[in-house]
Amino acid sequence: MTSELQLGIESVVVLSFYLGFTILIGFVANSRSRSHSLNDYFLGGKTTGALLLFFTMQATQYSGNAFFGFTGKAYRSGLIWILAIPLIGLIITAQLSYAPRLYRLSHRFQYLTPGDFYAHRYQSKALRLIVAALTIVSMFPYLMIQAEATGHAVETLSSGALPFWSGVVGISVVMAIYISVGGWQGVIWTDALQGVLLTIAMLAATWTGLQLAGGLPHVLEYLSEAKPSMLQAPADVESMTSQWLSLLIVSAIGFAMYPHAIQRIYAAKDETSLKRSFTMMLLVPFLLGGCTLLIGLTGLALYPDLSIAESDRVFGYLLARLASEHHTLVLFVLCGLLAAIMSTASSVVLTLSSIFTRDIYQAAIRKDASQRELTMVGRVFTVVILFVVVLLSLNSSLTLWRLTEIKIEFLMQLFPPLILGLYWQRMERVSALAGMLMGSLVVAAMILSGFPRWWLFQAGLYGFFVNLAVCLLLPRLLSASKEEVANTAEIFQVLRQT
């Protein structure tokens, strides 16, 4: 039996055991569920403590995109990808700008979805539906990233014995089972396990890969001779701004608006637990951001001539190279990779199910639906989401990083109405609606017309500038209704409480 075939068989066995274990967690979580309410199914009754909250935030923040999308981007960028470390730090900083205040409102007014805040703050059903639609559409590329990362890993590590589609379909089926059965409890229990696994796996793969390439000094020496441009910063300020400053701003704001991250804020047991989890999160960028950079540089030394499409698989190529001498390690890293993918994808799917159930089905279709019925709708929509993701992932022609950019450029349009709604009492509904719609239209128009980047900035940043300008200017020209003024006064009274 060849080593490649043996690795393929053992990979299937190990991954089958791991996937079976996650399904078991889902059934155990379901048996411990206290009720059939939406609050319990989607947010675990809002009783999540600091440590579990940290693990679930870490596991969902660093996904299959970290193993494949970020390492592929590092391969194509070189040493300048060291900016991934402050990039991830900026994401956490942006979340901290709204998390404590949003938590107070969610605790007082029982928010379940991101749309609950917008609908309540601005007294607008239309805004709830727009936020729901924008969030669902924006997050589909993210789910495609997770599915495609699994497909690449399975295909590469099995040397083609297991096709790309088998990884995409397999992970989707398993997630459909344990999410629909276990809900929040099933997701967060697996997140605790997966958060530890993915961290150890990333560190182990980074260290072993560097040793295979002769160590970091040897990698840097090779690149200085063979690919010196990969160790250099952009040649001028204009290039630095267009290539990286724009990316840092878009990423910080867009990633900070992940709907599943917002739901984790809602799920915290108390504000102290929330702040402690964020404090622990500030240490993670230095660890995992550095790992993606080192893996990208290692890949450049070992596989110097990969195409753009192939560069997204550099992590898989590295694991395949390590398989003969570090067989057990590769199997462990494969589990860590799967953990990263499943933790993020399952959280996103659960969040999108809650958004559809609460913001579309309950708000616009069946206002008098029972809690049991709504929970069942959420479970059904989970299966529907994953089915659509499989179809899209099997026919995608974009790089994983490009999918990431599209997602965050739309998500960042949610930020101005959120942050201004939390800090500026004069902000009102028409301005929030107009800003969000105009910003999203600018992004869509630029992408569809073939100009995803113009001059110094990406489409998402132009949309954001238009969005923010509308949100800052219109409230000075318009007056809110008496109902909205009274509601806003109540909200800010809660926000002023400590």
Side-chain angles (χ1 to χ4, degrees):
M1 182 182 297
T2 66
S3 60
E4 291 181 354
L5 180 58
Q6 182 181 358
L7 176 63
I9 294 173
E10 292 184 8
S11 298
V12 171
V13 172
V14 171
L15 293 181
S16 297
F17 175 80
Y18 180 76
L19 293 174
F21 183 66
T22 59
I23 291 175
L24 177 62
I25 289 177
F27 280 101
V28 172
N30 182 58
S31 68
R32 292 170 59 94
S33 179
R34 294 171 297 176
S35 71
H36 293 282
S37 70
L38 291 182
N39 184 58
D40 192 52
Y41 180 73
F42 287 118
L43 293 179
K46 299 188 176 183
T47 59
T48 307
L51 189 59
L52 268 180
L53 200 61
F54 162 71
F55 276 125
T56 189
M57 291 176 76
Q58 178 212 10
T60 55
Q61 191 90 316
Y62 307 101
S63 60
N65 193 36
F67 284 87
F68 283 89
F70 278 24
T71 54
K73 180 67 173 175
Y75 178 95
R76 296 188 294 272
S77 303
L79 188 58
I80 192 65
W81 185 243
I82 198 171
L83 290 175
I85 296 174
L87 183 155
I88 298 171
L90 284 172
I91 296 168
I92 298 170
T93 302
Q95 290 173 329
L96 278 170
S97 71
Y98 67 79
R101 296 173 75 87
L102 184 60
Y103 172 79
R104 290 177 209 166
L105 296 182
S106 71
H107 182 72
R108 171 66 176 79
F109 299 108
Q110 294 300 303
Y111 295 162
L112 178 71
T113 67
D116 278 340
F117 164 77
Y118 294 91
H120 176 234
R121 168 64 176 84
Y122 298 109
Q123 294 292 286
S124 173
K125 295 179 181 178
L127 198 54
R128 175 191 290 277
L129 292 174
I130 291 171
V131 170
L134 183 61
T135 302
I136 291 174
V137 172
S138 297
M139 293 310 291
F140 263 100
Y142 195 41
L143 290 173
M144 289 171 62
I145 290 169
Q146 312 312 316
E148 289 183 35
T150 306
H152 289 319
V154 168
E155 184 179 34
T156 302
L157 289 173
S158 66
S159 298
L162 294 175
F164 172 82
W165 67 263
S166 66
V168 173
V169 174
I171 192 129
S172 300
V173 170
V174 171
M175 285 194 300
I177 295 172
Y178 87 76
I179 297 171
S180 59
V181 171
W184 172 267
Q185 295 294 342
V187 168
I188 202 168
W189 288 8
T190 53
D191 277 355
L193 169 65
Q194 291 162 346
V196 174
L197 268 179
L198 74 90
T199 302
I200 297 174
M202 181 68 89
L203 288 170
T206 302
W207 174 259
T208 312
L210 277 174
Q211 300 313 302
L212 177 67
L216 183 58
H218 182 269
V219 169
L220 294 177
E221 182 181 354
Y222 166 79
L223 293 178
S224 67
E225 296 176 0
K227 291 180 174 291
S229 62
M230 289 298 178
L231 300 181
Q232 298 170 359
D236 50 57
V237 175
E238 184 173 328
S239 299
M240 184 67 182
T241 301
S242 64
Q243 294 175 26
W244 294 104
L245 180 60
S246 175
L247 173 66
L248 287 174
I249 298 172
V250 169
S251 298
I253 298 173
F255 283 123
M257 292 308 299
Y258 274 171
H260 48 296
I262 292 175
Q263 278 201 320
R264 272 142 184 75
I265 293 170
Y266 294 170
K269 181 173 64 176
D270 50 48
E271 194 168 338
T272 300
S273 298
L274 179 68
K275 291 179 178 178
R276 285 176 179 171
S277 67
F278 270 107
T279 300
M280 290 185 279
M281 280 290 291
L282 288 171
L283 301 174
V284 179
F286 299 95
L287 187 66
L288 295 183
C291 285
T292 61
L293 169 65
L294 292 174
I295 289 173
L297 295 179
T298 301
L300 277 167
L302 295 175
Y303 309 99
D305 300 312
L306 297 180
S307 66
I308 293 178
E310 289 173 331
S311 63
D312 273 338
R313 306 182 190 184
V314 67
F315 186 76
Y317 292 141
L318 177 61
L319 290 185
R321 183 90 167 253
L322 292 172
S324 59
E325 296 183 11
H326 303 278
H327 197 68
T328 303
L329 173 66
V330 169
L331 291 175
F332 177 79
V333 172
L334 191 58
C335 286
L337 168 61
L338 196 65
I341 293 168
M342 291 178 63
S343 59
T344 299
S346 60
S347 298
V348 174
V349 170
L350 187 68
T351 295
L352 295 188
S353 295
S354 71
I355 290 171
F356 176 81
T357 303
R358 173 81 150 214
D359 297 333
I360 298 177
Y361 187 81
Q362 185 180 29
I365 300 174
R366 285 269 292 172
K367 297 180 181 180
D368 58 347
S370 67
Q371 292 290 299
R372 184 182 291 271
E373 177 184 343
L374 293 171
T375 303
M376 181 56 64
V377 169
R379 289 185 165 118
V380 171
F381 192 66
T382 293
V383 177
V384 172
I385 289 174
L386 288 168
F387 178 74
V388 175
V389 167
V390 168
L391 293 181
L392 293 175
S393 299
L394 294 177
N395 295 282
S396 175
S397 59
L398 299 174
T399 66
L400 298 184
W401 183 254
R402 184 61 194 132
L403 287 171
T404 300
E405 287 182 311
I406 292 172
K407 167 198 64 182
I408 59 179
E409 286 177 312
F410 279 104
L411 282 179
M412 68 186 300
Q413 307 312 315
L414 300 175
F415 190 78
L418 172 68
I419 202 72
L420 292 176
L422 288 170
Y423 284 94
W424 191 27
Q425 197 162 342
R426 193 170 176 177
M427 184 65 184
E428 49 78 45
R429 76 161 69 97
V430 174
S431 304
L433 275 166
M436 192 179 297
L437 285 174
M438 292 183 68
S440 300
L441 287 173
V442 168
V443 176
M446 289 185 67
I447 292 175
L448 293 175
S449 62
F451 291 95
R453 180 187 298 274
W454 181 72
W455 191 44
L456 296 180
F457 303 115
Q458 295 162 258
L461 206 50
Y462 286 106
F464 181 81
F465 289 149
V466 170
N467 187 344
L468 185 61
V470 170
C471 287
L472 288 174
L473 294 175
L474 271 187
R476 304 178 188 279
L477 304 175
L478 302 174
S479 298
S481 65
K482 292 183 178 180
E483 176 191 23
E484 190 177 354
V485 169
N487 177 71
T488 302
E490 180 186 10
I491 287 173
F492 274 80
Q493 184 177 0
V494 173
L495 290 175
R496 284 189 287 267
Q497 296 172 358
T498 58

